[in-house]
Amino acid sequence: MKSPKRTSSTPFIRVGPSGVHGLGAFATRDLPAEAFLGLYEGRRYTKQEVASKLWDDQLTYLFTLTTGETIDGAKGGNATRHLNHSCEPNCEAVEEYDEAGEMVLRFQTMEAVEAGDELFIDYSLTADDGSPPSKYPCHCGSPNCRGTMLAPVEVVAEKDGPATPVDVAPAVSDPRRPLSELPW
């Protein structure tokens, strides 16, 4: 009989009320840059399963990988699902393959953080449906806040043509956004 999968430990994360949004993830001790925080875990869905599921605008903790799979941290997830967005993050999500060849998403610090600091990533959302940035407001309060959780856009001048916006950050699904609002 197959034993149930256990979620990975996240000893360096404490979940508590956030001044940015709902619950947040906080460092339990001082951590150096590139400290491993945990894997983003939960129920995995294929692109087809996501498209066929009725989400009813419920609170979600979804993260889409570059493989097209989506991880739902609300189902079998751990404390990493509570990392909120900031335009000036102190953590990052890194995709890599585990020993079994499955893509996993690991969270790590980008800089040293102190015990009690809230841990943030930049969601860098994309809105392929043409939604305005105001549909994805940011409340991080950082001095360089973009005002939106959408990926930063850099204007690049084309040779013999108008300037066009270019995404400069990878697309990441907001883990707290209803699927009905996702661009795919």
Side-chain angles (χ1 to χ4, degrees):
M1 184 165 131
K2 189 176 177 184
S3 62
K5 185 177 178 182
R6 293 196 174 115
T7 58
S8 66
S9 174
T10 54
F12 304 136
I13 299 176
R14 170 187 62 79
V15 175
S18 168
V20 173
H21 178 267
L23 295 175
F26 298 83
T28 58
R29 67 178 189 92
D30 292 351
L31 296 169
E34 298 183 10
F36 174 70
L37 298 170
L39 297 176
Y40 195 78
E41 296 183 337
R43 164 92 162 71
R44 288 179 179 245
Y45 293 96
T46 65
K47 198 171 193 175
Q48 295 77 18
E49 289 172 320
V50 167
S52 67
K53 188 163 173 46
L54 259 177
W55 297 90
D56 296 325
D57 292 332
Q58 64 191 6
L59 178 66
T60 57
Y61 295 91
L62 304 174
F63 215 118
T64 300
L65 303 172
T66 57
T67 59
E69 263 189 313
T70 297
I71 302 173
D72 183 356
K75 301 196 183 313
N78 56 27
T80 61
R81 72 181 180 200
H82 295 289
L83 271 82
N84 282 319
H85 164 83
S86 175
C87 296
E88 293 187 75
N90 53 12
C91 299
E92 63 184 343
V94 178
E95 292 181 326
E96 62 186 27
Y97 288 94
D98 66 11
E99 311 80 41
E102 181 177 56
M103 181 168 285
V104 295
L105 188 68
R106 61 180 276 128
F107 287 101
Q108 64 187 32
T109 58
M110 295 170 53
E111 59 194 41
V113 295
E114 294 181 8
D117 284 354
E118 186 164 1
L119 304 170
F120 295 102
I121 60 171
D122 186 337
Y123 288 173
S124 294
L125 302 176
T126 57
D128 296 335
D129 64 355
S131 297
S134 60
K135 187 172 178 182
Y136 308 94
C138 175
H139 304 288
C140 74
S142 72
N144 296 315
C145 180
R146 299 187 299 271
T148 181
M149 293 185 289
L150 293 178
V153 176
E154 179 179 292
V155 177
V156 177
E158 292 181 15
K159 186 176 180 180
D160 302 321
T164 57
V166 176
D167 282 338
V168 294
V172 177
S173 293
D174 177 358
R176 287 172 274 297
R177 203 164 113 214
L179 274 184
S180 61
E181 293 180 18
L182 292 176
W184 37 262

